[in-house]
Amino acid sequence: MEQHRDYLVVDLEATCDRVGFPRALMETIEIGAVYVDGQTLQPLEEFQTFIKPIRRTQLTAFCTGLTSITQADVDAAPLFPEGIAALGKFLGHRTPRFCSWGDYDWHQLSRDAQ
């Protein structure tokens, strides 16, 4: 029988526009995460940080309308390396299973890490 393992449920928001915005240019602008008990499925802790984009620094009106994230939110935010380090600090030595809605979030984190 597998030992119970906790979950890290991640939801990212990224730069975007309705048309003409290649996926390769999308950057994370918010990391939200919930640490969930693997047995009870109860949320134990939450994490959130905005991220300052560096490729296209100005959010589109479409992106702000879709995500409710403002230009002021990202202008005052840390860059991706600091934001992901804060998520790592939040996790500490815990090793939960990574969960998200589909594989978009995992791929986006990988692109940003590169």
Side-chain angles (χ1 to χ4, degrees), residues 24 54-55 80-81 84 106-114:
I54 59 172
R55 288 189 182 124
F80 181 79
I84 204 71
W106 179 255
H107 290 295
Q108 184 62 49
L109 284 175
S110 297
R111 274 192 298 275
D112 287 332
Q114 292 175 1

Side-chain angles (χ1 to χ4, degrees), residues 4-82:
H4 113 216
R5 219 162 144 198
D6 295 335
Y7 301 95
L8 182 68
V9 182
V10 174
D11 182 37
L12 302 182
E13 301 298 340
T15 54
C16 59
D17 205 350
R18 184 175 300 280
V19 294
F21 204 111
R23 183 166 274 206
L25 294 181
M26 294 174 73
E27 293 176 84
T28 298
I29 54 174
E30 183 180 26
I31 302 171
V34 178
Y35 195 85
V36 177
D37 181 281
Q39 282 188 311
T40 67
L41 300 182
Q42 294 300 306
L44 300 175
E45 294 181 74
E46 295 181 11
F47 173 86
Q48 184 277 337
T49 188
F50 293 113
I51 303 291
K52 185 177 205 167
I54 59 172
R55 288 189 182 124
R56 293 187 179 181
T57 58
Q58 297 298 306
L59 300 181
T60 64
F62 175 80
C63 185
T64 296
L66 181 67
T67 66
S68 300
I69 298 170
T70 67
Q71 190 66 47
D73 291 331
V74 297
D75 286 346
L79 295 173
F80 181 79
E82 291 83 19

